Amino acid sequence: MAVPPGERKRRPTRRAAAYLLVVALFVGLGAGVAGAVRAWRDRCDVVDEYTLAVAPGIEDAVEEVLARADTGCTRFTVSVAEPGDVAGLLGTGEGAPDLWITDSGWWATRASAMASGPVQTVLTPIATTPAVLVGRPGQVPEVATWRAALALKDLRPGNPLRTGVAAAPIRAALAETENDPVAIGTVRTAMAPLAQRENARPDEPPTGGILLDLIASEGGVGVATEQQFHRYSTDGGDALGGAVLEAKVPDNGSILLDYSLVVTAPGPERHRDATEAGRMLADIFSTQWARDVFVAHGFRDPAGRALPEGAGVGEITAMTLHDESIAQEALQAWAVLALPIRTLVAVDVSASMNTPVGGATRLQLTEQAARSATAMFSGSVQAGLWVFADDLGGDGQGHRELLPIRRLDTMVDGHLQRDLMNTLSTTVAAEAAAAAGDRAALYDTTLAAFRQMQATYDPRAINSVIVLTDGGDDESGGIGREDLVATLEREQNPARPVVIVTVGITDDADADALAAIAHATGGTSYIAQDPADISAIFVSALVDRTR
């Protein structure tokens, strides 16, 4: 029977509650505290109900705490959801939970930027656990840093846009480098092949016990938490009946995932009530007995102290990322990198590219850079190759297509597109030798490549042009610099954007012209002052496909 709004009783008063509890304890004659709490709840005219979404792995501990706690006339319905999925619900405002336990406190900051309502943290941390590298015994390499870990060939990082566990190695690598802008750039470069590899997957990457099962059966190195590893080891493995794994952290330590309680209820009144309920939960989670429950489930306490009895990975150095904006920029970059790459690479083959530099020509160094770059990316990357110089073939044409845009894993006459892209100096030797002079035909070729990418635009990918040259353009007989820049700005379609990235080979390149070309489309310009930098810059050129 419904209770009229004016007569609703949310819970007994504190004095009445205490009296009822004492009566229940004595009258129950051994029924215990649990019976007393049930008697108390039975007297609630109204039970306030709240939904509580929790990150995977902590649900059992939360359920145990709630089962043992006195929550009065309030009931919590627990569901398990990845933090990225909850953040998405908060963005739409539909289906969002009242309360949320994230696997990392920074999710609240990220979610608040996209949420349709307020997002308020009421307790951080509830418990902690460090990120670890997990694999078969003897197969987890010793690495000095998380940057080195990101470069492991067989690393299974997961999706950092969905789980805090997968974001942890990126955040740890940024914590190592946040005071060094150059080093931060290397983290982003290391992310590129990982994001591309995850993009090639037909479904979400495995997490938790499923991931550990796969590692036990197939090998490789996974990113997990100490708690996941401890639980897996305690349970003896899931699918393999006692599979043995080992966990390590880099020499310089690890970052702690700090599970936090966040109020996410939509609407002012509901949010206010949920905040009161959340504060009650925070008081419960802060008790020593509740913390003991979390430790029993493999979590560290809020201070990050090692698990008892030598469990887990023992004492570690806890790393801290102080500038949260760096991590948010990295996650935004991952979102871009995870989109398919579709690029047209245009390489200068004018006479100056045969200039010797350190035992090789500029053209040969460019080929080496291409080989290093393409080796880092999955076969799903689409790339094509043009060369350009003045009057290639004697017909006034400033460029020539050597390879149409194809996936790198496409077979062409018995050769992979990837391998064909890596034979640049051999393929264009004749073209370079036949070039009429040292004019690069840079501007005409850039515009032609831009228009080609627009005409063949793929809306499922980020479409770009990468131009590599060691010179400029004397504008004789072709479009001038100012006209090129104006044309690019005028013809750029925001709904079908094509980004131009320019790479200058040595200081002979016209840095001002290359920068103006790139910036006209929202792209980036690089100058490789040292030939040894060409390879890393070419990788960055593939990474920096949009702004």
Side-chain angles (χ1 to χ4, degrees):
M1 178 177 178
V3 179
E7 298 178 13
R8 299 178 73 207
K9 298 179 181 178
R10 294 190 175 275
R11 66 189 63 180
T13 64
R14 291 183 180 178
R15 179 177 296 176
Y19 172 77
L20 288 170
L21 183 57
V22 170
V23 170
L25 285 171
F26 283 95
V27 173
L29 297 177
V33 174
V37 171
R38 283 194 297 272
W40 184 359
R41 287 176 176 168
D42 288 342
R43 295 185 59 85
C44 296
D45 293 320
V46 175
V47 175
D48 293 325
E49 299 190 17
Y50 296 94
T51 55
L52 172 62
V54 303
I58 202 171
E59 67 273 16
D60 289 346
V62 171
E63 291 276 20
E64 181 176 337
V65 170
L66 291 177
R68 294 173 54 182
D70 170 14
T71 59
C73 296
T74 302
R75 184 171 67 188
F76 300 93
T77 301
V78 178
S79 62
V80 181
E82 293 288 4
D85 296 339
V86 176
L89 292 175
L90 297 178
T92 64
E94 298 180 1
D98 297 312
L99 298 159
W100 178 27
I101 295 179
T102 70
D103 63 6
S104 297
W106 58 266
W107 276 109
T109 302
R110 180 171 176 80
S112 64
M114 63 180 76
S116 59
V119 175
Q120 177 186 359
T121 300
V122 293
L123 178 62
T124 185
I126 299 169
T128 62
T129 186
V132 298
L133 299 172
V134 180
R136 293 172 175 172
Q139 293 188 4
V140 182
E142 301 282 351
V143 289
T145 66
W146 279 100
R147 276 191 295 168
L150 289 176
L152 293 175
K153 183 179 180 180
D154 54 357
L155 183 68
R156 296 174 183 254
N159 182 355
L161 302 180
R162 192 162 182 255
T163 80
V165 181
I170 296 173
R171 294 175 61 83
L174 292 171
E176 296 167 348
T177 60
E178 64 179 326
N179 295 322
D180 186 345
V182 175
I184 289 176
T186 66
V187 176
R188 187 174 175 183
T189 299
M191 286 166 45
L194 297 175
Q196 285 295 310
R197 192 168 66 206
E198 292 304 322
N199 170 69
R201 297 178 56 87
D203 50 16
E204 282 290 341
T207 59
I210 297 175
L211 171 63
L212 300 184
D213 275 341
L214 286 174
I215 291 173
S217 62
E218 300 176 1
V221 178
V223 176
T225 67
E226 179 187 58
Q227 187 272 337
Q228 290 173 339
F229 166 73
H230 175 73
R231 179 174 179 177
Y232 186 88
S233 301
T234 301
D235 293 345
D238 292 333
L240 298 178
V244 177
L245 296 174
E246 69 174 356
K248 295 181 181 179
V249 298
D251 295 342
N252 62 347
S254 187
I255 203 160
L256 292 176
L257 281 76
D258 50 343
Y259 289 75
S260 302
L261 177 61
V262 184
V263 182
T264 51
E269 184 176 353
R270 183 67 176 177
H271 191 87
R272 183 176 61 251
D273 291 343
T275 300
E276 180 182 349
R279 287 172 178 158
M280 178 179 64
L281 274 186
D283 289 341
I284 294 171
F285 290 148
S286 298
T287 61
Q288 187 59 53
W289 70 263
R291 290 179 176 177
D292 291 342
V293 170
F294 287 110
V295 170
H297 282 264
F299 291 95
R300 298 188 177 207
D301 65 15
R305 284 183 278 264
L307 295 177
E309 300 178 2
V313 294
E315 296 288 348
I316 64 166
T317 299
M319 305 168 66
T320 302
L321 178 61
H322 298 94
D323 188 350
E324 189 60 39
S325 66
I326 298 175
Q328 297 304 321
E329 290 173 1
L331 291 179
Q332 291 171 4
W334 180 283
V336 171
L337 294 169
L339 291 172
I341 292 177
R342 183 175 182 271
T343 191
L344 176 57
V345 181
V347 181
D348 183 353
V349 294
S350 59
S352 61
M353 288 292 284
N354 287 320
T355 302
V357 180
T361 67
R362 292 173 177 174
L363 188 59
Q364 289 170 335
L365 290 172
T366 302
E367 177 193 4
Q368 294 171 14
R371 182 180 296 110
S372 297
T374 57
M376 292 181 62
F377 292 89
S378 72
S380 64
V381 169
Q382 301 175 64
L385 179 63
W386 281 14
V387 293
F388 63 94
D390 186 26
D391 194 19
L392 284 180
D395 57 0
Q397 180 86 352
H399 67 271
R400 177 169 298 176
E401 180 184 81
L402 294 185
L403 296 171
I405 296 177
R406 306 186 187 101
R407 285 174 54 113
L408 292 179
D409 58 7
T410 301
M411 293 297 296
V412 183
D413 297 329
H415 299 281
L416 287 173
Q417 176 85 348
R418 184 194 305 273
D419 296 333
L420 295 175
M421 292 286 294
N422 291 342
T423 58
L424 178 64
S425 62
T426 303
T427 304
V428 304
E431 305 286 354
D438 201 26
R439 179 174 175 267
L442 171 64
Y443 299 158
D444 288 342
T445 299
T446 300
L447 181 57
F450 176 79
R451 288 173 170 170
Q452 172 71 8
M453 293 301 289
Q454 283 187 320
T456 61
Y457 188 85
D458 183 351
R460 299 164 300 178
I462 291 183
N463 298 255
S464 63
V465 175
I466 300 176
V467 180
L468 298 102
T469 180
D470 69 342
D473 195 321
D474 62 11
E475 304 185 15
S476 59
I479 191 172
R481 169 179 161 180
E482 292 185 3
D483 287 343
L484 170 63
V485 171
T487 301
L488 293 173
E489 292 175 342
R490 183 176 63 253
E491 295 186 6
Q492 178 72 291
N493 183 348
R496 298 165 63 89
V498 174
V499 178
I500 298 176
V501 179
T502 57
V503 180
I505 310 299
T506 75
D507 285 332
D508 288 346
D510 188 337
D512 291 340
L514 295 178
I517 291 169
H519 294 166
T521 64
T524 307
S525 182
Y526 300 92
I527 298 295
Q529 297 177 338
D530 186 333
D533 296 336
I534 297 175
S535 181
I537 286 177
F538 193 21
V539 173
S540 296
L542 279 170
V543 171
D544 281 324
R545 295 166 287 141
T546 189
R547 281 284 181 261

